[in-house]
């Protein structure tokens, strides 16, 4: 028999499943460890000495330290993470509202100019009237959002 055949006999299917399980558990352990360490540093309620104590416990006795931290402060971890996510969402919503509000004036001017251009293309206003109305829109002294025909002297 060759080396590949021996490997297949030495590493049966059940051993492969056990190996995958242990690898998964180790990965989950490191994810939990990093979440605990990040939570220790992100928590504003803890003083520097308390943070140092929790961190020392998690480094010197990792399993015990992480499990004690999760038992003692696990519920707070979830609340802090939820509050942080809400704060980020509110900041994003505020940014979007402010950006959209600033864009609204520009958009209304662009819409007004597009309507004026369409009216001129139909022949309802002359080039001179279009230029006067365009100056009013661009200067901001004209009523924003008013119908383009309101800028025409004859009201057409």
């Amino acid at each position: 028999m060759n080396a590949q055949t021996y490997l297949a006999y030495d590493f049966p299917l059940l051993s492969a499943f056990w190996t995958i399980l242990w690898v998964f558990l180790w990965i989950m352990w490191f994810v939990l460890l990093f979440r605990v360490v990040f939570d220790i540093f992100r928590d504003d309620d803890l003083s520097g000495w308390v943070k140092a104590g929790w961190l020392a416990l998690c480094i010197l006795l990792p399993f015990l330290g992480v499990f004690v931290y999760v038992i003692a402060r696990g519920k707070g971890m979830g609340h802090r993470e939820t509050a942080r996510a809400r704060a980020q969402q509110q900041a994003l919503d505020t940014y979007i509202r402010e950006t959209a509000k600033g864009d609204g004036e520009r958009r209304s001017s662009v819409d007004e100019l597009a309507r004026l251009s369409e009216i001129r293309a139909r022949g309802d206003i002359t080039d001179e009237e279009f230029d006067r109305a365009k100056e009013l829109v661009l200067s901001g002294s004209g009523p924003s959002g008013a119908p383009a025909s309101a800028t025409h002297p004859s009201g057409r």
Side-chain angles (χ1 to χ4, degrees), residues 51-63:
K51 288 180 183 183
W54 276 114
L55 192 61
L57 184 63
C58 287
I59 290 174
L60 297 176
L61 300 170
F63 290 109

Side-chain angles (χ1 to χ4, degrees), residues 80-114:
R80 284 186 294 278
E81 188 69 31
T82 304
R84 192 174 306 114
R86 280 191 190 128
Q88 286 178 345
Q89 184 65 40
Q90 287 175 350
L92 178 67
D93 291 344
T94 302
Y95 171 75
I96 290 172
R97 266 189 240 107
E98 303 234 345
T99 304
K101 198 182 305 179
D103 247 5
E105 295 170 2
R106 262 185 271 136
R107 224 175 320 175
S108 63
S109 298
V110 170
D111 292 341
E112 186 73 25
L113 288 174

Side-chain angles (χ1 to χ4, degrees), residues 36-44 46 51-52 55 69:
V36 165
V37 170
F38 286 137
D39 187 64
I40 290 170
F41 282 113
R42 287 181 178 168
D43 190 4
D44 295 331
L46 296 178
K51 288 180 183 183
L55 192 61
Y69 187 86

